[in-house]
Amino acid sequence: MNPVELSIFASRLEAVCDEMGAVLRNAAFSPNIRDRLDFSCAVFDAQGELCAQAAHIPVHLGSMAYAMADIVAKVEWREGDMVVLNDPFLGGTHLPDVTLIAPLFWEGRLTAFLVNRAHHADIGASSPGSMPVSHSLDQEGRVIPPGRLVRGGAIDRDFLTAITRDNRNPGESEGDFAAQVSANRSGLKRLAQLIDEWGRDAFLSGLGELNAYAERLARGALQQIPPGEYRFKDFMDDDGQGNRDIPIQVRLVVKAEAILVDFSGTADQVGGNINAPLSVAAAAVYYVFRCLMPPQTPACAGSFRAIQLRVPAGCLLNAKRPAAVAAGNVETSTRVVDVVLGALAQVLPDEIPAASHGSMNNLAMGSVSGNLRWDYYETIGGGMGAGKKGGGLDGVQTHMTNTLNTPIEVIEARFPVRVINYNIRRGSGGAGARQGGDGLVRRFSFLAPTQVTLLTERRNHPPWGSAGGQPGQAGINRHNEKLLPAKVAVMVEAGDTITIETPGGGGWGVAGK
């Protein structure tokens, strides 16, 4: 292919993913998928290597890119089937993120996979929102090993009932699974049309050329990092089970031909739920280096071939079953980004920003009392870290997630909750020549008894500044006027309030210089 043809080829593959995402959003029942857009879609080749993805959730996409090859090798694929899974130790991330994989056969030969991953606010945990302050995987909900949700083109109703019947609203859950099936069917149809137009051999040849092009761009960008070794250490506040100040440490070994990202020295897996499967750590690493590549770099396997990982088995970032992992996907992944950026800031201070708010500020809530059965889950933005080229943005999602907030009107119409404050937390960004972005204040008032879970970070260790900039302010959680820890489950009564003040981003450079 000439450059124009290759660009068109890449864009048409990405358009398949975009259309899958549009179908999933429009067909979903739950606010978490329909309004917050907590889902991702991608195309993989027959070996499980990433071919294209939409601009969805980095932690979803990177972890799928890392784990798909193993999943593909373990399943006997049949035309018309779709395989569902959420097991964090068999290719998933945490239990609410449910992956649905559809093989595409062309003239009887396995040719590609269409994949989507969506966050289900109820996956069967006893805690509403299925994001409990847990200490083992079995407390976090229903574990779904790879199984056939669709057989011969039809949804297996018995299987679907089995994985949704214990949910608080099984009808809504079934609707979200049906939306995922519809998204994959859309992808199968569109990709089959493209292969019919190009021919299977030309399609496979195009994938090879696309990966080679991505690898050239990626290596060219990464070779701008001066060779050497760079280290950085940061900390998780706690694990919700009494362990505090938990270190994550990285050593980058930069050579002309490759970059080794070594997490030796990171804490062992802990009793709480901030452990992460290896695929989550890989997603965070891939994300950081993807940010250094030219914007036209295709999002495919070739862009990651120069990056090598070393993550000791049994450590916080390569946890082993039955470790609790609910917050590893959302909180620990963000700290992995921080430590890799911190190491790179030593050698690329003009390119790397200060730390952003460093938490997805997870809020899960709901009730199972009487006839009132509901679940709700959201993440809340904060301050972006500043860089040499500009101050940080206020009140945004950063790094490993880019979900939207649920509109207040939707929350108040569906649930016995009122949002009484939603505003910028002025002055929370770190000072510097470039000011860190400010966090958010979000306050809820409850109309009925509700169980609330908070999984948050950067409450004790604030986001660091860079190049002489000051740290952002740490976050604060409150029940009425009582301070709450970073990770906590509480029962609130009608008239109570929960307030989350999210961290500001770190400042960059010395103020006044």
Side-chain angles (χ1 to χ4, degrees), residues 104-128:
L104 186 149
F105 284 79
W106 185 257
E107 296 178 345
R109 291 179 290 178
L110 180 62
T111 300
F113 292 94
L114 287 304
V115 183
N116 71 70
R117 175 172 286 172
H119 185 114
H120 290 243
D122 187 358
I123 199 66
S126 60
S127 172

Side-chain angles (χ1 to χ4, degrees), residues 279-320:
S279 61
V280 168
V285 171
Y286 290 166
Y287 162 80
V288 172
F289 288 105
R290 179 66 181 83
C291 291
L292 298 177
M293 299 174 194
Q296 71 271 22
T297 306
C300 60
S303 59
F304 305 126
R305 287 175 179 163
I307 302 167
Q308 302 170 357
L309 292 178
R310 180 180 296 163
V311 189
C315 82
L316 189 72
L317 306 182
N318 188 4
K320 300 302 178 186

